[in-house]
Amino acid sequence: GPDRVKLTATPSGPLEGEGAIPGDKSCSHRALILGAMAEGETRITGLVDSEDVLATVRALEIFGVSIEMAGLEWTVRGGPWRTPVDPVDCVNSGTAARLLIGAVAGMPGLRARFHGDAWLSLRPMKRITAPLERMGAAIENGDRLPITIEGARLGGIDHRNVPASAQVKSAILLAGLGTAARISITEPIPSRDHSEIMLAQLGCTVAVNDRPEGWVVRLGEERKLSGCTLAIGADPSSAAFPLVAAAVVPGSDVIVRGMLVNPLRTGLYETLETMGAEIELSNERIQSGEIVADVRVQHAQLRTCHVRAEQVPAMIDEIPALAVACAFADGESVIEGLGELRVKESD
């Protein structure tokens, strides 16, 4: 139509310098929600103020949680949540919807209706509402948003997390905070473990055991959360774009400081290394339980790759960036197991 904008891309010269990358989105959602469930104050630096993280902020405020931002630090004052008068709008954020539904499920007497935009309303919710119902939560219309949920004193669960979904695992763990019953999740392919790491930072132990049937994740005995200080590393999904650009543009040399290098999130960078990319990690350190490092990428001629389905969860959001790298490799690359992208923002 007449309102179409014409976009023109022209080749750039070499890319050099430091990429300023916002904080990790997955960790930002979790820091806000866990801080809101904890006793006392949680102070957060490195929070990304993207549209869907702000949806989590506004949703928590509807539950009566006080959240303030001063300079670069966010302060969340945790405590008992109250039943909201209005429906909770998760806009376009699947993480906000699924984690908040999990949190409410384990809060007896709390009742909330969740809705989202047209796109979020198409995304599958049964994978999270089914296990919560098995635990004893009362849920109306569990297939798609809008969903109404009533929290309860829940029972335990042994859940097999297939397909590997960190959001489903996190929802069950959050729901389990309100009960003393056994909460166990088995993952044949491990999904990202930011919730487990952050729960430990706030005082709830999570046991992870490597068994023949997969990773077995269990909530510990102590489930009361206490506020703390959290520093969030730079988002490897956001960093993917400047770093892949550096890998494919001749003469480039780009560094991202303090990037989250959690091994369940670095699939893209491991794949780029097999393709011959020049990647250098330095200044590795533990920050709020997560591993962060400075990541430097220089241009190199890339070879093709063959990514197997079990490698995909560690780079599900970075597949579009990987596809660009594959376009610069000499020959045919193969990426298997991409069905999950059909129900994600990054299709």
Side-chain angles (χ1 to χ4, degrees):
D3 54 353
R4 282 211 180 142
V5 179
K6 187 175 177 188
L7 298 174
T8 309
T10 50
S12 78
L15 304 164
E16 285 181 275
E18 276 190 37
I21 301 298
D24 185 70
K25 191 176 77 162
S26 295
C27 292
S28 295
H29 284 293
R30 286 159 172 80
L32 290 164
I33 294 169
L34 289 175
M37 296 176 81
E39 273 185 25
E41 281 188 357
T42 296
R43 295 175 181 274
I44 309 163
T45 53
L47 193 91
V48 57
D49 55 358
S50 65
E51 214 30 68
D52 54 353
V53 170
L54 292 177
T56 292
V57 170
R58 287 191 293 270
L60 289 168
E61 287 174 338
I62 289 177
F63 285 106
V65 178
S66 158
I67 301 174
E68 283 169 17
M69 185 186 92
L72 297 174
E73 187 176 78
W74 292 71
T75 302
V76 182
R77 289 187 182 83
W81 296 12
R82 59 163 190 254
T83 290
V85 181
D86 299 312
V88 181
D89 186 1
C90 297
V91 197
N92 185 21
S93 175
T95 308
R98 289 173 176 151
L99 269 58
L100 288 167
I101 287 171
V104 168
M107 297 178 179
L110 203 64
R111 184 181 168 88
R113 182 172 172 81
F114 291 89
H115 68 109
D117 67 7
W119 169 233
L120 184 59
S121 302
L122 292 173
R123 292 180 65 184
M125 292 291 159
K126 198 75 188 165
R127 55 175 69 173
I128 161 192
T129 55
L132 293 175
E133 282 180 314
R134 284 202 345 253
M135 293 167 76
I139 296 170
E140 292 166 24
N141 178 34
D143 271 354
R144 299 269 188 275
L145 291 181
I147 287 171
T148 302
I149 178 162
E150 200 163 322
R153 177 71 65 197
L154 301 177
I157 192 169
D158 273 311
H159 181 71
R160 190 174 147 80
N161 196 20
V162 177
S165 166
Q167 291 176 359
V168 172
K169 172 172 64 175
S170 299
I172 294 170
L173 292 173
L174 295 186
L177 292 174
T179 175
R182 175 186 144 107
I183 304 293
S184 177
I185 299 147
T186 302
E187 301 198 299
I189 298 172
S191 67
R192 50 181 77 170
D193 60 352
H194 304 305
S195 294
E196 295 94 303
I197 289 170
M198 205 174 282
L199 280 165
Q201 295 293 301
L202 285 118
C204 170
T205 49
V206 183
V208 182
N209 292 299
D210 192 1
R211 298 266 163 76
E213 63 272 26
W215 287 96
V216 180
V217 180
R218 288 206 178 108
L219 274 186
E221 308 255 305
E222 178 52 68
R223 299 184 189 179
K224 209 174 81 185
L225 304 183
S226 304
C228 70
T229 303
L230 296 169
I232 295 171
D235 191 332
S237 305
S238 302
F241 300 101
L243 292 178
V244 166
V248 301
V249 176
S252 296
D253 185 350
V254 172
I255 190 164
V256 170
R257 298 203 185 276
M259 188 179 96
L260 191 66
V261 288
N262 179 313
L264 295 170
R265 291 290 300 282
T266 50
L268 168 72
Y269 303 98
E270 286 155 26
T271 303
L272 286 173
E273 280 193 315
T274 68
M275 296 171 75
E278 287 285 333
I279 303 181
E280 188 187 311
L281 260 66
S282 59
N283 196 12
E284 263 190 75
R285 56 204 184 274
I286 301 277
Q287 178 181 289
S288 297
E290 294 274 9
I291 309 170
V292 299
D294 300 341
V295 180
R296 179 184 179 189
V297 177
Q298 293 166 282
H299 170 259
Q301 179 53 52
L302 299 180
R303 300 186 287 273
T304 56
C305 66
H306 188 131
V307 175
R308 296 184 312 280
E310 62 267 23
Q311 296 171 281
V312 167
M315 55 172 145
I316 186 76
D317 293 323
E318 292 78 58
I319 296 295
L322 175 61
V324 172
C326 293
F328 282 84
D330 195 10
E332 186 178 274
S333 293
V334 177
I335 307 171
E336 298 171 12
L338 292 186
E340 192 60 13
L341 279 186
R342 289 270 171 253
V343 294
K344 280 187 74 76
E345 301 94 333
S346 45
D347 182 358

